[in-house]
Amino acid sequence: MSNHDRSACLLRDGEIVAAVAEERLDRRKKSEGFYEQHLGSAVLPPYRAITAVLHEAGLTVGDIDRVVCGRSILPCRDDLLNQFPFPPEKVVEIPVPGHHIAHACSAFFTSPFENAAVLVLDEQGHRLEDDRFERMTWYTAHGTQVVPIRQFYGDSETLSLGMFMDAFATFTGLSEAKQPSAGKLMGLAAVGQERQQWPSLVTTVDDGDAYVRLSELDSFFASVLPRRVEFEGGIVRQLDDLLAKYWPVHWSSNLAADLAFKAQAELEGALLHINRHLKAQVGSENLAYAGGVALNCTANAKLSLAGWRDVFVHPAATDDGNAVGLAYYGQRSLAGKHRRPELFNPMTGPRYSQKAVEEAVHRFGLGEWLERTDMSDEAAERLSRGETLCWFLGRSEWGPRALGGRSIVADPTVPGIKALINSRIKHREPFRPFGISGTPRGVEQALDVGAALPSLAPYMLAVARARDTRLSQLQHQDGSIRYQIVQRAWQPEWFGMIEAFGRRSGVECIVNTSFNVLGEPLVETPSDAVRQFVLSGAQALLINGFRLDSADVPREYLRQIRRQAFQAGGQHPLKVALGIEAAGYCAAAITFLEDQEFGEEAAEAEGKQVLRAYYSLHLRGALLKNEHERSTELSKYLLAMAEFDGAVLEAASVLEATEQPETQAMGQFFTHIGRYGSAFRHASGIWAGTDG
């Protein structure tokens, strides 16, 4: 029940029946759960996720023996009981501070290890009464026991490594669902270079601790970033003050890339320091790892340098994974149930019937083009012809990585495939890399995985360098490729498709990226899949034994369906277009608005703020095309809309009423230029009297 990344997991006799994140069902990235009440705020339980896992098991609320709840920062049991009809005597909450315990249980109880050291490293966990917060925790784990051995707390001055990465993501303009995106920062880091004059920012301590001082971070950013005028004279007392103090730079700048490089390098050094000390304190050769920082694949690839034989990262390492951790905490820690160490199968989402697929296709008016097919064979054939496909099969993956349940796939040997998917289908920043999925034999032939940590490989959390030169174009700027070794037992059709593609191409690996476009979460239901396929521009959708081919649908009809599909998502077209532009595709953003028939009249009907944003987007598009007359015309439109809000005009009228000439003149000036349109008319009058 964290205010973001809410989720639910159901265990029966110690085995996961189903687990799903709320964002997959409510279609809101990160699924923020805050809502305002008359006397404060509360967090909504993950209603859809709870309902989905109960439906999957054929159970009702009354059938549940125990409910374990938890969230970061604050307790939540009362919120849950006030909003959901669980019997109070069955509801327990993990002890506070216990956010990190939930992470630790998610990591160890899904790991293949009999015993392990456990590391939890995130932005922040529960807060204590003295306003300190969980920053990092070490555990030792064996059997049914996960025992804390070191707890590190942060405060307003002593920041976590997760906060450190968030600050750099914010100041390089990298976000997702209005939150800093450390994942994008990791990708950008490979583009940057070291600046030796920059000081070290992470403090490492002989006992294995590593943290960042807020004051040192403030001093560093003061030397490289412009300060916001409105913050002049303000004091930085906490991280939010720091984030409000400086203007970010654009991710496409050299400075942004070098800042990302700096953050990644410091994180990697700090992680090695932490893990060497943790390894020395715990006798195990295995590490189980969770918390948002654990999704940094590049850093994880170097953990073997700390001496670990193997490392397991829980696939949903951020707060959504804690639903699994809480469930195991209730099942194992409280009930003492025995655990069977085995590799965790991440395909935990609800099942969907053939009828659900047919209904979804008919809902979008595409039923006459739906045909049955052998998905594995058809996908292999189409991929070998260079097509890009949407793939939906069975249950969805647990966590943010596409693992063959909800994927967009392509031939990794097609020249320029990375740029094609980024620019035309995903509309992602061009620096962001793609992963590959392959059979064990295919990955071994394609990549140099000799030193890789084996338990990272099934979850698209490992990286290696290309051995097969045909895949070199997929290497990130640092030379790495993220990969998944597919487990035949979990996904026989996905495995078989890659094998069949290998027989045609000689490469038993495919490009695999998440099946989602336009800033949405991964698709979950068949209806999501059909709608996102229509919006993606991919050649075909292969879904639970069916095929839908975009080439079969008349072009104009498909264009109409595309508008219908977008409207069904409930997103504002201009907001989506601005997101496409922010990823570096201004022309595609304008084309998207045209396809959605969102023009000047539609923008004007929604008010001045929307119209200004609409003109501003088109101005930037005109400048990129060197369309001088168009850009001048749009600039005049924007200037003509310049105005102050009602509060400024009210203040100006007060100044006008004073008896002091200078103050009175100031009021008259702001009154004159502040009303709608008069600023442009006033400036036009001045310009009319000049030679220019």
Side-chain angles (χ1 to χ4, degrees):
M1 280 182 63
S2 289
N3 66 299
H4 61 86
D5 291 318
R6 298 170 297 150
S7 58
C9 170
L10 178 66
L11 293 188
R12 177 191 280 143
D13 298 328
E15 301 296 329
I16 294 178
V17 176
V20 66
E22 187 78 356
E23 71 164 26
R24 299 288 188 95
L25 300 164
D26 70 10
R27 308 309 301 157
R28 297 184 302 128
K29 195 77 172 174
K30 311 298 285 184
S31 189
E32 181 176 318
F34 268 133
Y35 76 100
E36 295 300 320
Q37 299 183 116
H38 177 59
L39 296 175
S41 62
V43 175
L44 291 170
Y47 289 113
R48 290 176 175 85
I50 292 171
T51 303
V53 299
L54 288 173
H55 279 172
E56 180 65 23
L59 301 176
T60 66
V61 168
D63 297 318
I64 302 302
D65 299 305
R66 173 176 283 126
V67 179
V68 188
C69 62
R71 73 175 179 220
S72 59
I73 312 298
L74 298 170
C76 67
R77 182 175 182 271
D78 289 345
D79 272 352
L80 178 62
L81 289 174
N82 285 336
Q83 300 174 60
F84 211 95
F86 286 121
E89 68 275 9
K90 293 184 177 181
V91 178
V92 297
E93 182 165 10
I94 202 162
V96 176
H99 184 69
H100 280 194
I101 275 283
H103 274 307
C105 288
S106 76
F108 178 64
F109 289 132
T110 58
S111 77
F113 308 138
E114 287 278 1
N115 60 77
V118 184
L119 173 63
V120 176
L121 194 54
D122 61 0
E123 184 195 51
Q124 62 177 314
H126 276 124
R127 285 191 175 274
L128 306 181
E129 291 183 358
D130 60 6
D131 215 31
R132 292 183 301 153
F133 59 87
E134 293 177 298
R135 177 167 53 78
M136 176 175 65
T137 313
W138 299 354
Y139 302 84
T140 182
H142 178 80
T144 63
Q145 300 300 312
V146 177
V147 180
I149 54 175
R150 291 290 306 277
Q151 294 172 294
F152 303 87
Y153 293 101
D155 53 36
S156 58
E157 170 64 15
T158 309
L159 307 183
S160 68
L161 293 177
M163 290 175 166
F164 171 73
M165 295 296 283
D166 281 352
F168 274 80
T170 297
F171 289 134
T172 51
L174 297 171
S175 65
E176 186 173 51
K178 299 181 181 179
Q179 296 183 25
S181 177
K184 293 182 182 181
L185 186 73
M186 175 186 67
L188 182 61
V191 183
Q193 296 182 346
E194 180 183 9
R195 298 199 186 188
Q196 295 184 349
Q197 70 273 24
W198 283 353
S200 296
L201 295 174
V202 176
T203 298
T204 54
V205 186
D206 289 342
D207 65 357
D209 195 7
Y211 59 86
V212 180
R213 295 188 183 278
L214 178 66
S215 54
E216 294 179 3
L217 207 54
D218 184 21
S219 297
F220 170 72
F221 285 125
S223 69
V224 296
L225 295 176
R227 179 183 294 195
R228 295 179 187 266
V229 173
E230 61 267 29
F231 202 87
E232 285 294 339
I235 300 174
V236 173
R237 294 188 175 89
Q238 56 187 357
L239 180 60
D240 285 347
D241 296 332
L242 179 75
L243 300 181
K245 184 174 180 179
Y246 301 103
W247 286 105
V249 293
H250 196 270
W251 56 260
S252 63
S253 66
N254 290 334
L255 176 57
D258 293 350
L259 287 170
F261 181 95
K262 169 72 171 172
Q264 181 69 24
E266 294 244 14
L267 175 68
E268 291 177 9
L271 279 175
L272 279 179
H273 171 81
I274 291 165
N275 278 275
R276 282 170 176 149
H277 282 79
L278 175 58
K279 176 72 171 61
Q281 190 162 343
V282 180
S284 177
E285 294 183 326
N286 304 313
L287 174 69
Y289 184 19
V293 179
L295 290 178
N296 193 301
C297 303
T298 307
N300 293 348
K302 299 176 181 178
L303 289 178
S304 59
L305 299 176
W308 301 116
R309 180 180 59 83
D310 198 2
V311 175
F312 172 81
V313 172
H314 183 72
T318 50
D319 281 4
D320 49 349
N322 276 11
V324 165
L326 292 166
Y328 276 119
Y329 174 84
Q331 180 78 28
R332 303 257 164 79
S333 297
L334 297 182
K337 297 289 185 181
H338 177 69
R339 70 180 295 263
R340 183 177 64 213
E342 59 185 359
L343 207 56
F344 170 67
N345 183 343
M347 315 310 289
T348 65
R351 295 172 175 85
Y352 299 95
S353 65
Q354 172 184 322
K355 182 180 178 182
V357 174
E358 294 172 338
E359 287 177 346
V361 174
H362 283 285
R363 188 176 301 122
F364 289 97
L366 296 168
E368 65 181 282
W369 295 286
L370 184 68
E371 296 184 11
R372 288 189 172 278
T373 188
D374 179 329
M375 285 180 57
S376 296
D377 192 61
E378 175 151 357
E381 178 61 31
R382 284 175 173 267
L383 291 176
S384 66
R385 299 202 302 259
E387 294 186 15
T388 302
L389 310 175
C390 295
W391 172 278
F392 180 110
L393 181 64
R395 308 179 75 172
S396 60
E397 306 90 336
W398 180 242
R401 311 294 191 210
L403 301 175
R406 310 289 187 268
S407 293
I408 295 175
V409 296
D411 178 350
T413 67
V414 171
I417 190 62
K418 175 181 168 182
L420 185 149
I421 297 176
N422 266 334
S423 62
R424 296 186 187 178
I425 293 176
K426 298 281 287 189
H427 293 124
R428 305 191 319 168
E429 294 85 353
F431 64 81
R432 294 177 64 184
F434 287 104
I436 62 168
S437 293
T439 64
R441 178 178 60 189
V443 170
E444 186 176 350
Q445 291 174 346
L447 305 177
D448 183 5
V449 296
L453 296 160
S455 290
L456 296 177
Y459 309 105
M460 196 68 82
L461 290 169
V463 298
R465 291 179 178 270
R467 177 178 286 166
D468 187 330
T469 57
R470 288 174 292 179
L471 272 65
S472 59
Q473 63 166 333
L474 289 179
Q475 288 189 141
H476 200 31
Q477 282 84 344
D478 61 1
S480 68
I481 297 178
R482 191 166 63 199
Y483 67 92
Q484 173 203 15
I485 295 180
V486 180
Q487 309 297 303
R488 186 195 294 269
W490 296 348
Q491 301 159 289
E493 289 181 84
W494 178 243
F495 190 99
M497 181 268 285
I498 297 171
E499 272 192 325
F501 173 72
R503 288 193 291 271
R504 291 167 170 82
S505 67
V507 179
E508 282 190 14
C509 297
I510 58 168
V511 175
N512 175 20
T513 186
S514 55
F515 186 178
N516 63 319
V517 297
L518 303 181
E520 290 194 30
L522 267 79
V523 305
E524 172 60 33
T525 68
S527 182
D528 299 332
V530 175
R531 186 172 61 81
Q532 289 269 288
F533 161 64
V534 168
L535 293 171
S536 73
Q539 275 93 352
L541 167 66
L542 299 174
I543 176 169
N544 283 3
F546 291 95
R547 175 191 68 237
L548 191 60
D549 191 330
S550 60
D552 293 340
V553 185
R555 181 174 297 181
E556 183 55 35
Y557 184 71
L558 185 61
R559 189 166 178 264
Q560 294 173 15
I561 296 299
R562 187 169 288 125
R563 286 198 296 272
Q564 176 190 337
F566 177 76
Q567 291 165 6
Q571 296 190 83
H572 194 286
L574 183 57
K575 180 180 178 181
V576 171
L578 292 173
I580 294 172
E581 184 202 18
Y585 309 104
C586 186
I590 293 172
T591 299
F592 172 79
L593 286 181
E594 292 170 352
D595 288 344
Q596 297 304 318
E597 297 184 345
F598 188 88
E600 185 175 349
E601 289 186 6
E604 186 174 17
E606 295 196 27
K608 293 172 287 187
Q609 185 174 358
V610 173
L611 186 59
R612 277 196 295 266
Y614 176 85
Y615 282 149
S616 182
L617 171 62
H618 281 77
L619 171 60
R620 293 188 291 273
L623 290 170
L624 286 172
K625 294 180 180 179
N626 291 319
E627 296 175 348
H628 301 298
E629 290 186 8
R630 176 63 173 158
S631 59
T632 300
E633 179 185 25
L634 289 164
S635 297
K636 288 181 178 180
Y637 289 158
L638 284 165
L639 286 172
M641 298 176 68
E643 62 173 313
F644 295 117
D645 62 22
V648 174
L649 293 174
E650 183 180 8
S653 67
V654 173
L655 298 181
E656 278 191 281
T658 64
E659 297 181 356
Q660 300 173 341
E662 290 183 2
T663 303
Q664 191 178 67
M666 183 185 297
Q668 291 171 346
F669 174 77
F670 281 107
T671 298
H672 181 67
I673 71 167
R675 292 193 177 91
Y676 183 75
S678 59
F680 178 65
R681 291 193 295 273
H682 182 65
S684 297
I686 296 173
W687 294 332
T690 68
D691 292 335

